[in-house]
Amino acid sequence: MDGRTALRRIESVDEFLSVAGPYLVAREAQHCLTLGICGDLQAQPQAAAEPPYLAVVTAGDGVALTAVWTPPWQLVLSNGEDPAAIALVAADLADRSLIGVNGPSAVADRFADAWTAQTGQPAWVLMHERVFELSQVTRPHGVPGALRHARPSDRDHLIAWLIAFEEETFGERQPRDPGAMVDRSLAGVGRRLYVWDVDGPVSMCGVGGPTPNGIRIGPVYTPPGLRRRGYASACVAAVSQAQLDAGRRSCYLFADTANPTSNHIYETMGYAPVSDVTVYRFERA
């Protein structure tokens, strides 16, 4: 292992960004999840279940890899090509209970191998995703309805849709309370939820995770009986345009590569593919 490669744990988000920020922002779209998590932690430090794990691996004078973990969620890794840096993070976390890892595909693959070697825990691919970036919106035409902020009367719809989204997208429930997330959103805290309204809510789109120049779009969900009518496209396009109008330079989103239909829809409205991400889950050996 390169003697100049070293891992540094960092206590505060501000210090983490002072060290790693330029590296992350140089590829802001690719690192929108890491930067968005940091943005959320700065805005709502009390929302974290426990102190986050923030680490930067340096090689020589430069950043080789960053790692952010907000339990009970999965570890999130930056872009990085140094296998030694990936191995250092796996070794540093080997005594912790990770549910999985999310990162650029080559990085996530190497980390999964290193994690299994360190812990004996098998790793399996939960999903392959693609990061998209948009800076100009092409709005769909002829879709009835209008965008609006979610309101308390939508609460039951939103909770049911979040649960359905997670089960359909990931095949599992995510480590959060959907009711608490909806309540925070309705109170104007954290990820904001919007609906496309046609005599009532027919589709949902969230927005949150601010980065220095952009913000992340999602989750996006339309109930099966209301699909293929353009509601989700209209909702995402309108939410994206609102973010650009508010001064964001870009919007980002993650889409499942196994769903070519949604990928095509996003590209049609102006989202361009940036990079591929793999999400792994770990099992107790």
Side-chain angles (χ1 to χ4, degrees):
M1 184 175 292
D2 186 347
R4 298 179 302 160
T5 303
L7 183 145
R8 174 185 171 190
R9 290 194 192 185
I10 298 177
E11 295 298 321
S12 76
V13 178
D14 289 345
E15 184 181 1
F16 173 81
L17 290 175
S18 73
V19 174
Y23 176 81
L24 296 169
V25 174
R27 297 183 178 182
E28 185 169 338
Q30 187 175 30
H31 295 138
C32 65
L33 182 56
T34 294
L35 290 165
I37 291 170
C38 290
D40 285 340
L41 288 170
Q42 287 177 313
Q44 310 161 62
Q46 73 285 352
E50 58 183 87
Y53 173 90
L54 306 166
V56 177
V57 181
T58 56
D61 296 327
V63 173
L65 185 71
T66 72
V68 173
W69 179 40
T70 51
W73 295 86
Q74 63 219 1
L75 178 70
V76 177
L77 298 175
S78 70
N79 186 64
E81 299 178 356
D82 186 349
I86 297 168
L88 278 177
V89 175
D92 195 49
L93 286 167
D95 62 344
R96 306 292 294 274
S97 297
L98 289 183
I99 65 166
V101 65
N102 176 311
S105 293
V107 177
D109 292 346
R110 291 192 185 107
F111 184 88
D113 289 342
W115 183 257
T116 299
Q118 283 281 344
T119 68
Q121 295 177 16
W124 55 275
V125 174
L126 177 67
M127 67 186 307
H128 296 286
E129 294 183 298
R130 185 158 293 140
V131 183
F132 287 83
E133 179 180 16
L134 171 145
S135 57
Q136 184 173 344
V137 180
T138 300
R139 300 279 290 269
H141 298 290
V143 181
L147 182 75
R148 64 170 172 80
H149 286 285
R151 52 196 184 210
S153 59
D154 303 317
R155 184 177 186 274
D156 290 346
H157 278 110
L158 296 172
I159 292 172
W161 289 355
L162 278 171
I163 293 171
F165 167 81
E166 292 175 355
E167 292 177 345
E168 184 175 316
T169 303
F170 304 107
E172 62 180 28
R173 292 286 299 277
Q174 297 299 284
R176 65 180 165 204
D177 178 349
M181 176 191 169
V182 169
D183 289 340
R184 286 194 299 272
S185 177
L186 293 174
V189 178
R191 184 165 297 274
R192 299 302 304 273
L193 295 173
Y194 293 80
V195 300
W196 191 257
D197 191 297
V198 182
D199 298 322
V202 295
S203 188
M204 171 189 76
C205 179
V207 60
T211 69
N213 299 294
I215 200 162
R216 199 167 70 256
I217 304 297
V220 178
Y221 184 78
T222 304
L226 295 172
R227 294 176 185 174
R228 302 186 185 280
R229 305 182 192 185
Y231 296 150
S233 296
C235 191
V236 172
V239 169
S240 302
Q241 186 63 61
Q243 295 304 310
L244 298 180
D245 292 344
R248 306 283 183 189
R249 187 182 304 168
S250 298
C251 294
Y252 314 110
L253 59 77
F254 287 72
D256 186 350
T257 60
N259 188 339
T261 300
S262 65
N263 284 253
H264 175 72
I265 288 171
Y266 294 137
E267 291 187 50
T268 298
M269 73 178 68
Y271 278 92
V274 174
S275 61
D276 285 355
V277 170
T278 300
V279 182
Y280 278 90
R281 285 287 183 263
F282 303 139
E283 297 178 356
R284 292 289 181 186

